[in-house]
């Protein structure tokens, strides 16, 4: 005999499904900014401590070039940055050889950031501006910083981690 599903069963099933989805899609959420820099010897490192040689600081090996290639380091000017709209990521170079990445989605109302100029990443919707050095709010109405993204520099190419 089949009994109709109760509201309690439907809600519990929906909550469990949502929890599984959130765990699989979530980020660290620690607000730390991801940084990749190049060493004087030309070897590159990521914020996670992995170098171009594929060996992390702990001596373990990673799986090669990392994630999706975004572009060349030559596309990212010192004291500026570049927005990779398709990936919704902005990569900045606050000081020579130091690369950082942040979400290119404004924390105010979710508009896509459209410009990097004068040390900030700018939102066209309501004028929020974020510092290229750490993604913090330089000018509102946004009140929350941009979410940090992990990147790696391999040779002359910037990759999402």
């Amino acid at each position: 005999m089949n009994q109709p599903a109760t509201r309690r069963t439907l809600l519990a099933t929906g909550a469990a499904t949502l929890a599984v989805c959130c765990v699989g899609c979530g980020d660290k959420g620690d607000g730390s900014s991801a940084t990749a820099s190049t060493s004087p010897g030309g070897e590159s490192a990521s914020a996670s401590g992995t170098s171009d040689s594929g060996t992390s600081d702990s001596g373990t090996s990673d799986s090669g070039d990392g994630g999706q290639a975004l572009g060349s380091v030559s596309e990212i000017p010192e004291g500026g940055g570049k927005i990779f709209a398709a990936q919704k990521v902005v990569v900045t170079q606050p000081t020579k050889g130091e690369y950082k990445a942040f979400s290119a989605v404004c924390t105010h109302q979710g508009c896509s950031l459209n410009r990097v100029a004068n040390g900030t990443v700018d939102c066209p919707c309501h004028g929020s501006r974020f510092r290229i050095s750490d993604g913090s709010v330089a000018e509102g109405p946004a009140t929350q910083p941009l979410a940090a993204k992990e990147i790696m520099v391999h040779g002359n190419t910037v990759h999402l981690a």
Side-chain angles (χ1 to χ4, degrees):
M1 174 173 163
N2 281 340
Q3 294 181 353
T6 65
R7 277 187 272 173
R8 181 181 301 159
T9 303
L10 291 174
L11 288 173
T13 302
T17 302
L18 181 61
V20 168
C21 289
C22 288
V23 169
C25 298
D27 63 61
K28 292 180 192 174
D30 62 1
S32 65
S33 63
T35 305
S37 60
T38 55
S39 66
E43 191 171 87
S44 305
S46 72
S48 62
T50 305
S51 70
D52 234 6
S53 64
T55 305
S56 71
D57 294 339
S58 63
T60 59
S61 180
D62 70 9
S63 60
D65 286 345
Q68 178 182 11
L70 293 173
S72 170
V73 294
S74 63
E75 297 176 61
I76 303 159
E78 182 179 348
K82 180 175 179 179
I83 296 170
F84 297 91
Q87 295 83 6
K88 296 183 180 180
V89 172
V90 58
V91 178
T92 65
Q93 185 180 186
T95 59
K96 185 173 181 156
E98 178 186 24
Y99 299 92
K100 297 191 173 202
F102 307 98
S103 169
V105 177
C106 183
T107 59
H108 175 236
Q109 288 191 343
C111 293
S112 294
L113 304 177
N114 73 338
R115 183 175 79 143
V116 182
N118 302 315
T120 62
V121 185
D122 305 338
C123 179
C125 294
H126 301 106
S128 292
R129 298 183 323 146
F130 303 88
R131 291 178 186 88
I132 65 168
S133 58
D134 59 6
S136 64
V137 177
E139 184 175 320
T143 59
Q144 297 296 312
L146 296 174
K149 301 286 185 180
E150 286 200 38
I151 56 170
M152 296 178 286
V153 178
H154 293 286
N156 291 323
T157 306
V158 179
H159 295 264
L160 283 173

